[in-house]
Amino acid sequence: MSVLVEGRREAVGMLAVNVAWAVAARPSLRRRARTAGIPLTPDVLARRQTRQLRVLRPSVGWSDRMRTELKASDRASVTAEKGREEVWFQWRPGRRRHTVWGSITFDEPSGTVLLDLREGAAYTGVSGVRRGASFVALCQVAGGLGLVGVEGQCGAGGRA
């Protein structure tokens, strides 16, 4: 019986830590989203972030410039390219060596990109301390490449 009680206490403790972390981190995530021009959605702490973004200033060769900027970033490690339309990479959202896996798909005629970022296994801590890393990476990549949210798109569930 004490094992069950101990398990409940541990679950309540984990929930309290996650709620406290989300409350403390939310202003930081809101600021990052506003700076990057990306709508803050209720799924901000999800392990996977997939957003369609548009190029702030499209011009001839914009996808090649973005590809070059991505490769030149000290946070990125390009792992593969699928022709001219897709790049797979790892992104380091923080100061540590942990990375987020991602891909960017270019749609040159419409001037949009599809950015898909996924947290790795290193981000599944018991306390949830690193939750939201894929959203942080999303904001960093979008800000670094000059991407903004597509108007009318709020992701899963609208604005937070």
Side-chain angles (χ1 to χ4, degrees):
M1 188 71 162
S2 67
V3 172
L4 182 60
V5 171
E6 187 63 32
R8 285 185 183 167
R9 282 187 194 154
E10 193 172 311
V12 169
M14 285 179 12
L15 178 63
V17 167
N18 284 339
V19 169
W21 183 87
V23 169
R26 188 174 178 138
S28 170
L29 295 176
R30 185 178 294 127
R31 184 180 62 251
R32 286 179 187 274
R34 186 174 44 246
T35 302
I38 295 175
L40 188 66
T41 61
D43 67 341
V44 70
L45 297 179
R47 291 176 47 95
R48 184 173 189 173
Q49 298 289 324
T50 304
R51 303 284 171 94
Q52 183 177 7
L53 304 173
R54 66 179 172 82
V55 179
L56 192 57
R57 292 179 188 88
S59 60
V60 176
W62 64 266
S63 63
D64 292 331
R65 282 193 300 280
M66 284 192 178
R67 194 176 285 106
T68 302
E69 288 178 29
L70 185 65
K71 289 177 182 179
S73 173
D74 60 342
R75 292 184 179 272
S77 171
V78 174
T79 58
E81 292 189 53
K82 182 180 176 186
R84 295 182 36 83
E85 59 273 344
E86 188 171 9
V87 177
W88 297 325
F89 59 95
Q90 291 181 15
W91 186 269
R92 187 177 41 84
R95 294 187 178 127
R96 296 193 175 136
R97 292 181 294 171
H98 302 293
T99 59
V100 173
W101 290 91
S103 68
I104 185 167
T105 306
F106 302 99
D107 185 8
E108 290 193 40
S110 68
T112 61
V113 300
L114 181 65
L115 193 55
D116 184 13
L117 296 161
R118 301 167 294 288
E119 293 178 3
Y123 287 100
T124 58
V126 174
S127 63
V129 172
R130 294 189 180 108
R131 291 180 62 198
S134 60
F135 186 77
V136 170
L138 174 77
C139 293
Q140 290 171 341
V141 172
L145 298 180
L147 302 170
V148 293
V150 175
E151 288 131 22
Q153 175 190 333
C154 292
R159 292 181 185 249

